[in-house]
């Protein structure tokens, strides 16, 4: 892909990244950090591609280590974030009713 | 199998990227947060399916096997970890992500041709390895497997500078054209330079995080998280993969904002957190000694103070969480409210170990959302509060943050518990808090201390309140 196209993606993504998290209450800083942390686990895509094209044992071993690390980041990241957010449900009567439709 | 056309691949990557954007957006509000996270996970699943269906992959069985192993490690770890230990788990997850990005970039070096790709390899190798080892140190600090105080050794700053220069030199060898390098006798060194970059980055990560004081560690996790995001984005450039580029950039950008917000909530600057310890003596109040007299009392006395109050502000801290006392605390609050006493929880932005951590823990104990007040909201209320009940918190109520310019926590916003008529501390011991400094408020006239495990103390106080 052309460098300029990639640069365009990059710049637009920076602005979206800034925009989506502005004005988040400090209450949600922890889950937000954890969720963002899970998202960069998508490096697993890269690790799989590299492992899939490895043609000597050393490269393959290093690539598989990367696959392992990335999987832990990706899977663990989403599971732990979900567990954190689970706690926000089912509290007191009023808020639970307000969020009743949220399943 | 390459069953997907490039067009479909690109389209589905776009869908995955949109999922990630919606995930971050959803995580910004309590009502949509959980759904947001699930949308993010859906995006990840789509992306993984696409990569297997769009790429001709060798070693398929091995790859799938390793992914299975990773999942078998990650799921129980995340499901079984105690909520109090969650911050360090997030730090570890972040670290392995950074490490993976660095390794991917290292392996892509031989396939890289353009200047931009080389630059991205150099960046990812260095930043990814810093994020990896830095996160490991934050894990060790939060798990208290190593001292939480800032650690600085003689020549620390100089070593960092030297390593940074070596790292940049390695980066230069990766980036500069091979023909030019061969001309000055440095031909064929790109791979060695990248491996050296991994080593230098790993040591740098350790050295950069060691001087960070305990209370600032969460901000550093967030910073390293943003760093990993950027490393992933750069590896997207190396692999010519738009999804990695977009997802990594999203995390890098949102993580930077988040880091700034967290630092602001603590009245710190990011550079101050990273390099503050080098600017000399963050004296831990050497005049203060623990053998000054304090007023300690019994659970019955505390129960009387609480039972005859009109307004009580509870300040929960990490000690409450470690003792798993949030349920007892919630019950005590309900009992007091049944007696017509107004109870508010004052939550410091960094109560617990990370911003918002305490909210999670109290939500787990079914404390209603409305009873939780953020710092700005609760601070004016201390003046009219009869009792401020501080449970297992210390640094976040330490007036030294306002009064002692030399203190490591100077400038951090605190909860003004000293304004309350009476202050009750439930503490395990006189040991100072995470930041390692003494709290003068403990020796104040209006302060009463009840020593013991937060859960045991609260259980006793609860029993006594019920008998009033």
């Amino acid at each position: 892909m052309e460098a300029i196209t990639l640069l365009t993606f990059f710049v637009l993504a920076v602005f979206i990244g800034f925009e989506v998290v502005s004005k988040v209450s400090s209450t949600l800083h922890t889950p937000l950090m954890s969720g963002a942390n899970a998202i960069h686990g998508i490096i697993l895509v890269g690790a799989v591609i590299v492992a899939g094209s490895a043609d000597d044992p050393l490269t393959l071993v290093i690539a598989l280590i990367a696959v392992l690390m990335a999987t832990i980041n990706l899977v663990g990241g989403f599971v732990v974030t979900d567990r954190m957010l689970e706690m926000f449900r089912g509290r007191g009567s009023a808020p639970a009713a307000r969020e009743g439709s949220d399943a | 199998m390459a069953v997907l056309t490039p067009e479909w691949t690109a389209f589905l990557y776009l869908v995955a990227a949109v999922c990630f954007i919606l995930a971050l957006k959803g995580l910004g509000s309590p009502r949509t947060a959980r759904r947001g996270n699930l949308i993010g996970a859906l995006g990840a699943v789509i992306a993984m399916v696409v990569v297997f269906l769009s790429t001709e992959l060798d070693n398929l069985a091995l790859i799938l096997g390793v992914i299975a192993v990773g999942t078998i490690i990650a799921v129980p770890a995340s499901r079984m970890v105690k909520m109090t230990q969650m911050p360090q788990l997030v730090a570890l997850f972040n670290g392995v992500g950074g490490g993976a990005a660095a390794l991917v970039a290292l392996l892509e070096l031989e396939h890289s041709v353009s200047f931009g790709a080389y630059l991205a390899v150099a960046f990812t190798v260095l930043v990814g390895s810093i994020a990896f080892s830095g996160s490991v140190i934050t894990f060790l600090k939060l798990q208290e497997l190593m001292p939480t105080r800032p650690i600085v050794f003689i020549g620390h700053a100089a070593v960092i500078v030297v390593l940074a220069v070596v790292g940049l030199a390695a980066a230069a060898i990766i980036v500069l054209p091979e023909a030019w390098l061969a001309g000055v006798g440095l031909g064929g060194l790109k791979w060695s330079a990248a491996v050296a970059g991994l080593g230098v980055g790993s040591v740098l990560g350790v050295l950069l995080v060691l001087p960070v004081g305990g209370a600032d560690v969460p901000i550093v996790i967030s910073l390293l998280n943003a760093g990993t995001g950027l490393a992933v984005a750069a590896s997207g450039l190396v692999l010519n993969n738009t999804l990695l580029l977009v997802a990594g950039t999203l995390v890098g950008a949102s993580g930077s904002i988040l880091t700034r917000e967290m630092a602001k909530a603590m009245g710190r600057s990011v550079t101050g957190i990273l390099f503050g310890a080098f600017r000399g003596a963050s004296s831990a109040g050497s005049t203060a000694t623990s053998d000054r007299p304090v007023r300690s009392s019994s659970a019955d006395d505390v129960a009387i103070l609480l039972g005859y109050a009109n307004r009580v502000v509870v300040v929960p801290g990490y000690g409450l969480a470690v003792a798993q006392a949030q349920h007892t605390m919630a019950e005590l609050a309900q009992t007091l409210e049944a007696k017509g006493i107004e109870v508010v929880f004052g939550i410091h932005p960094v109560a617990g170990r990370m911003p918002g951590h305490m909210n999670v823990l109290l939500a787990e104990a079914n404390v209603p959302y409305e009873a939780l007040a953020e710092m700005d909201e609760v601070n004016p209320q201390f003046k009219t509060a009869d009792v401020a009940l501080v449970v297992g918190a210390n640094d976040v109520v330490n007036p030294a943050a306002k009064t002692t310019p030399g203190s490591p926590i100077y400038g951090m916003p605190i909860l003004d518990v000293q304004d309350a008529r009476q202050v009750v501390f439930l503490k395990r011991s006189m040991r100072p808090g995470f930041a390692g400094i003494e709290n003068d408020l403990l020796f104040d006239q209006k302060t009463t201390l009840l020593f013991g495990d937060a859960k045991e103390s609260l259980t006793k106080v609860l029993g006594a309140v019920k008998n009033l």
Side-chain angles (χ1 to χ4, degrees), chain B residues 381-406:
Chain B
Q381 300 183 24
F382 280 110
K383 288 196 182 65
T384 58
D386 299 297
V387 181
L389 177 64
V390 183
V391 187
N394 194 357
D395 297 332
V396 298
V397 297
N398 191 340
K402 283 188 170 166
T403 57
T404 317

Side-chain angles (χ1 to χ4, degrees), chain B residues 10 46 61 80 95 118 120 155 165 168 175 232 262 266 324 330 349 359 401:
Chain B
I46 294 174
M80 271 141 55
Y118 280 132
V165 171
L168 287 178
V175 171
V232 170
M262 283 186 187
M266 294 180 73
Q324 291 293 309
N359 303 66

Side-chain angles (χ1 to χ4, degrees), chain B residues 184-195:
Chain B
V184 292
L186 289 170
L189 282 179
K190 281 191 190 298
W191 170 262
S192 318
V195 174

Side-chain angles (χ1 to χ4, degrees), chain B residues 298-309 312 328-329 331-341 343 389 457-468:
Chain B
S298 70
D300 292 329
D301 296 334
V302 172
I304 290 168
L305 278 178
L306 292 173
Y308 291 99
V312 174
T328 320
M329 185 63 244
E331 200 186 336
L332 176 61
Q334 280 158 15
T335 313
L336 289 173
E337 286 193 322
K339 289 177 179 289
I341 300 159
V343 182
L389 177 64
S457 297
L458 281 171
T459 312
K460 283 186 211 150
V461 172
L462 177 62
V465 167
K466 280 180 175 161
N467 289 332
L468 278 178

Side-chain angles (χ1 to χ4, degrees), chain B residues 4 17 40-41 63 88 109-110 129 136 162 182 203 219 244 251 285 288 381 384 395 408-409 412 430 458 462:
Chain B
L4 283 178
I63 294 173
Q88 42 268 56
L109 181 67
E110 53 180 326
S129 50
V136 171
V162 170
V203 180
I219 298 176
L244 291 187
V251 177
Q381 300 183 24
T384 58
D395 297 332
I409 59 165
M412 179 172 98
M430 286 301 285
L458 281 171
L462 177 62

